[in-house]
């Protein structure tokens, strides 16, 4: 099935309007798995010459954002959460290994919080995964990759919180 950004963003809007909780997000994840398999959508919105992070759409009503990511080389990110926002990662090309972390020591004003590795899973092309509020995660890539990511409400979530492996 082919998708357009306009139709995709309207579908995400309608799903989240009906159910903004985890069940609605699961339905968005299923839809995103279909979109990331659409080569024409990828060619249009995730070209090789595009920046690493590009805002494709932000919903004026519900606040969610659809982002396109084009990574040209291997990259590791520190464990982090997105405060009170959630995120859905959909893999278009390449692979992303996602580490999930649990809290060992909460952050204080002076020191970052400490976390311990909890699980790892690999996102392959055509798959998507939901991270709910305050789930600590860190993506890593051994080579080039393309993703579409949906953020729940980036404007109200506050800053991204970074953690340190214990
Ligand atoms: Fe993240």
């Amino acid at each position: 099935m082919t998708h357009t950004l306009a139709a995709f963003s309207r579908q995400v809007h309608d799903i989240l309007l009906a159910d903004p909780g985890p069940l609605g997000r699961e339905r968005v994840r299923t839809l995103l798995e279909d979109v990331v398999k659409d080569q024409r959508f990828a060619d249009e919105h995730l070209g090789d010459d595009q920046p690493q992070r590009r805002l494709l759409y932000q919903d004026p009503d519900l606040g969610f954002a659809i982002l396109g990511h084009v990574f040209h080389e291997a990259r590791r990110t520190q464990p982090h959460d997105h405060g009170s926002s959630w995120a859905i990662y959909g893999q278009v090309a390449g692979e992303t290994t996602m580490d999930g972390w649990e809290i060992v020591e909460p952050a204080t004003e002076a020191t970052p919080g400490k976390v311990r590795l909890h699980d790892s899973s690999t996102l392959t092309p055509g798959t998507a995964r939901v991270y709910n509020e305050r789930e600590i995660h860190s993506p890593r890539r051994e080579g080039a990759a393309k993703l579409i990511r949906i953020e729940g409400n980036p404007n109200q979530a506050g800053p991204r919180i970074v953690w340190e492996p214990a």
Side-chain angles (χ1 to χ4, degrees), residues 63-97:
F64 69 85
I66 300 174
L67 301 129
H69 291 280
V70 176
F71 298 103
H72 292 283
E73 50 202 26
R75 184 183 151 92
R76 272 169 189 265
T77 305
Q78 281 279 104
H80 65 275
D81 67 54
H82 296 266
S84 57
S85 187
W86 48 264
I88 307 174
Y89 288 73
Q91 193 79 26
V92 173
E95 287 191 351
T96 301
T97 301

Side-chain angles (χ1 to χ4, degrees), residues 77-82 87 89 98 131 135-139 149 151 160:
T77 305
Q78 281 279 104
H80 65 275
D81 67 54
H82 296 266
Y89 288 73
M98 278 289 196
Y131 281 85
E135 274 190 66
I136 303 168
H137 57 281
S138 58
R149 200 162 59 87
E151 278 190 23
R160 186 175 110 119

